[in-house]
Amino acid sequence: MNRTSPPVDTPAPGSWEELVTTALLGTDRRTPAVLVPGRAAPSALLDAAAVQTVRRRAGLRPARAAGRPRPAPADPRPALPVAAARRLTMLLADRPGAGGGGRRSTAPDLLELLPQWLQVANSHGFAAPPQTMPALLDAARGRTDLRPAVLRFVGPRAVWLARLNPDWRFTLRATPGAGAALPGPEEADRVRRLWQEGLFAERVALLSAIRAREPGAARELLDSTWATERAEDRLMFLDSLRTGLGPEDEDFLERALADRSRNVRATAAELLSALPHSALASRMAVRAGSCVAVDHMRTAPMLTVEAPHVCDADMERDGVAAKAPAGRGERSWWFGQLVEAAPLATWPARLGGRTPGEIVALPVADDWQGELHAAWCRAAARQGDAGWARALLGTPSAPEAGGPGAVSLAERAKLLGTLPAGERAEWVAGFVAAHGLSEAFQLLGVCAVPWAEPLGRAVVDALNIARDAGSYPWSFSGVMGLAERCLDPVEAGRLDGLLAVPDEPEDASPGAGGYWAEAFQRLVTT
């Protein structure tokens, strides 16, 4: 190594960092690296700083002039109304109160409302104002959850802008054909060429778009190159079949059960188990049904479980993972996978014609209830069965609903996703009223926005109770953040009485009253 070379972190001669360092030390103590014959050191330093300032403001390295870009494509959608555009500008402005620190101010973080705003704007088919597009793309760059809505709102000009700024290159990856119009059904040659020659992200986007429009055509396109695709690519492509999944996909998915990749086999099996009349679902129904029975020899009927003793080759082919995770018994691991994949319609016929509610209410022998109910939860979520979801959720005010129980909070959240929005909100409102907010965060996150009136009222009442009880306020910051985004604006009037700083009980956290007042003020302002 050259011992005379400067350290790696030494600023380059003439760089802005080197000029700032020289200015701070003084030209008497440090000679500028940009001395010009006939110029005093201070003047040479200021001249160099002026040049660097212009370069920094220009934002580009000096280079040959490039040709003018082609004009942006036209967007035929109607312009955004003036009032809506003004609100969008407000949401995209610098966030007040985002400067860090443990304690937030009363100023709201309006960017959190952007997803709702975009949903409404896209539902009306409005075009984005050109001056807001850079800020929208910047927001989508930092938050992947915003990207689909932002790209839909910005429209065809998103790709045009992405070609001018590498920070927005995610737009090119998310758009089939890098912004070219998606080939229509009659353009088979264009579809085939993009499928065979496009980048992986372009192919995924193309397959997803065709799947949403013509499920059969997308499946045939995937089948045409399936044997030559890499395993990781096959897995991603297979995932696109979740959209529009139907009986017509069964033959293709059955062939995928013989795939070399275990992950591909597992995904194919999961998709087939979501088709209640598929051959795989029937095989799983036979296997799972042989494991569960009603014992009539006791004083009251009880379910008994006999988990499988081996995981044979046929089970593995149908997606059952043979190796159990650490801490799980093999038999319970295999049993859970069988029940999860079996059609829920199996159980009433197998268990004496009982309804889902009656089946769930039966006691289960030998501590198998948790495993059995958890597997039924996963099956209900996968198959979208609201009847079984209601039975497994039970009454929100029941004591076991607020504890770990046989059905975890994560499983309850998935079950709620199968219910209509109004029923979902009503159940969570009952849960909050009975058990408070400490366990409700996951459940609140699956409710439609804005929250229905009973749910919003229950959340505000629970926050008020927590405040009056002198609870540690920061433990509710997550729920308060959700309320800022999800509470219906018509509920704002009910918060007026909560804005004053309350008297703090002796056992309350120091300063809790002030925090609660600030939090409610921020909620009202939002």
Side-chain angles (χ1 to χ4, degrees):
M1 182 180 72
N2 184 357
R3 296 184 179 276
T4 63
S5 61
V8 174
D9 57 353
T10 299
S15 68
W16 181 259
E17 292 79 7
E18 193 270 343
L19 294 173
V20 170
T21 301
T22 302
L24 290 173
L25 294 174
T27 55
D28 291 337
R29 298 175 60 191
R30 178 167 178 161
T31 302
V34 289
L35 277 179
V36 178
R39 296 283 286 173
S43 299
L45 178 64
L46 292 175
D47 289 345
V51 171
Q52 282 290 358
T53 298
V54 173
R55 287 176 177 169
R56 285 161 60 87
R57 288 178 178 173
L60 292 174
R61 295 178 181 275
R64 291 183 178 276
R68 288 186 178 183
R70 294 180 179 179
D75 192 337
R77 296 175 297 174
L80 194 66
V82 174
R86 185 170 60 249
R87 281 188 283 274
L88 174 60
T89 302
M90 240 170 61
L91 300 184
L92 292 171
D94 289 339
R95 296 177 296 166
R103 183 161 175 159
R104 298 172 63 189
S105 70
T106 59
D109 182 357
L110 294 181
L111 191 64
E112 291 298 323
L113 302 178
L114 186 58
Q116 295 176 48
W117 190 98
L118 288 168
Q119 181 182 8
V120 176
N122 284 331
S123 70
H124 287 284
F126 288 124
Q131 67 273 18
T132 65
M133 291 179 182
L136 283 164
L137 292 173
D138 280 341
R141 178 194 177 201
R143 286 182 51 176
T144 56
D145 61 306
L146 285 176
R147 289 181 184 179
V150 165
L151 294 181
R152 180 181 171 191
F153 184 52
V154 175
R157 295 177 177 178
V159 171
W160 185 86
L161 287 166
R163 292 196 177 105
L164 302 176
N165 186 344
D167 287 346
W168 302 329
R169 57 181 174 269
F170 67 86
T171 299
L172 302 175
R173 295 194 298 268
T175 308
L182 190 66
E186 71 285 354
E187 299 177 283
D189 289 341
R190 283 189 60 202
V191 169
R192 191 178 302 107
R193 185 165 58 252
L194 182 56
W195 177 247
Q196 293 176 347
E197 301 175 5
L199 299 174
F200 172 69
E202 293 176 331
R203 299 177 74 210
V204 171
L206 174 67
L207 187 65
S208 299
I210 295 178
R211 181 68 179 180
R213 187 179 64 200
E214 293 181 278
R219 184 183 63 253
E220 292 171 6
L221 187 66
L222 177 56
D223 199 9
S224 68
T225 59
W226 180 258
T228 60
E229 303 288 356
R230 300 183 306 167
E232 55 268 34
D233 294 351
R234 292 198 301 276
L235 184 62
M236 289 290 293
F237 293 145
L238 195 61
D239 203 57
S240 70
L241 299 188
R242 296 181 191 277
T243 302
L245 182 66
E248 300 81 7
D249 300 314
E250 183 178 358
D251 288 343
F252 177 81
L253 292 172
E254 274 284 343
R255 284 186 276 122
L257 289 176
D259 196 87
R260 302 183 300 276
S261 166
R262 181 175 61 82
N263 290 332
V264 171
R265 294 196 302 272
T267 302
E270 179 188 345
L271 293 172
L272 283 167
S273 67
L275 299 173
H277 301 294
S278 67
L280 178 136
S282 298
R283 296 192 295 269
M284 289 299 194
V286 171
R287 292 172 180 138
S290 66
C291 296
V292 183
V294 179
D295 185 354
H296 294 285
M297 303 301 292
R298 303 173 187 257
T299 54
M302 175 179 283
L303 294 180
T304 59
V305 171
E306 180 64 31
H309 291 270
V310 294
C311 180
D312 57 36
D314 288 339
M315 287 171 60
E316 287 197 64
R317 181 184 180 276
D318 283 348
V320 177
K323 186 174 181 180
R328 286 288 300 273
E330 283 186 331
R331 295 182 65 201
S332 65
W333 171 243
W334 301 331
F335 170 73
Q337 293 178 81
L338 296 181
V339 174
E340 173 184 351
L344 289 164
T346 301
W347 301 109
R350 169 70 179 163
L351 303 177
R354 292 175 171 84
T355 66
E358 291 169 338
I359 292 172
V360 171
L362 288 173
V364 184
D366 301 327
D367 297 325
W368 280 100
Q369 178 172 314
E371 191 70 51
L372 179 59
H373 283 202
W376 277 338
C377 286
R378 296 192 296 272
R382 181 184 296 184
Q383 298 171 35
D385 194 309
W388 272 88
R390 293 185 187 98
L392 290 159
L393 282 166
T395 305
S397 59
E400 63 271 13
V407 181
S408 69
L409 286 169
E411 287 160 346
R412 289 192 190 105
K414 293 177 182 178
L415 292 173
L416 285 167
T418 69
L419 303 181
E423 185 179 354
R424 196 184 317 163
E426 187 176 350
W427 196 95
V428 178
F431 181 94
V432 170
H435 307 289
L437 293 168
S438 59
E439 302 290 342
F441 185 79
Q442 281 182 288
L443 306 181
L444 290 168
V446 300
C447 292
V449 178
W451 287 337
E453 181 185 357
L455 178 56
R457 185 167 57 247
V459 170
V460 172
D461 289 346
L463 287 170
N464 190 21
I465 291 170
R467 181 192 68 160
D468 291 344
S471 299
Y472 194 66
W474 291 273
S475 63
F476 295 94
S477 59
V479 172
M480 189 66 80
L482 271 180
E484 288 180 44
R485 299 189 292 274
C486 305
L487 193 66
D488 194 318
V490 300
E491 296 291 319
R494 299 185 62 248
L495 299 167
D496 291 341
L498 305 176
L499 301 181
V501 178
D503 296 331
E504 296 180 1
E506 292 183 3
D507 56 347
S509 304
Y515 175 88
W516 281 113
E518 286 181 2
F520 282 122
Q521 179 63 61
R522 185 169 59 250
L523 181 54
V524 171
T525 306
T526 304

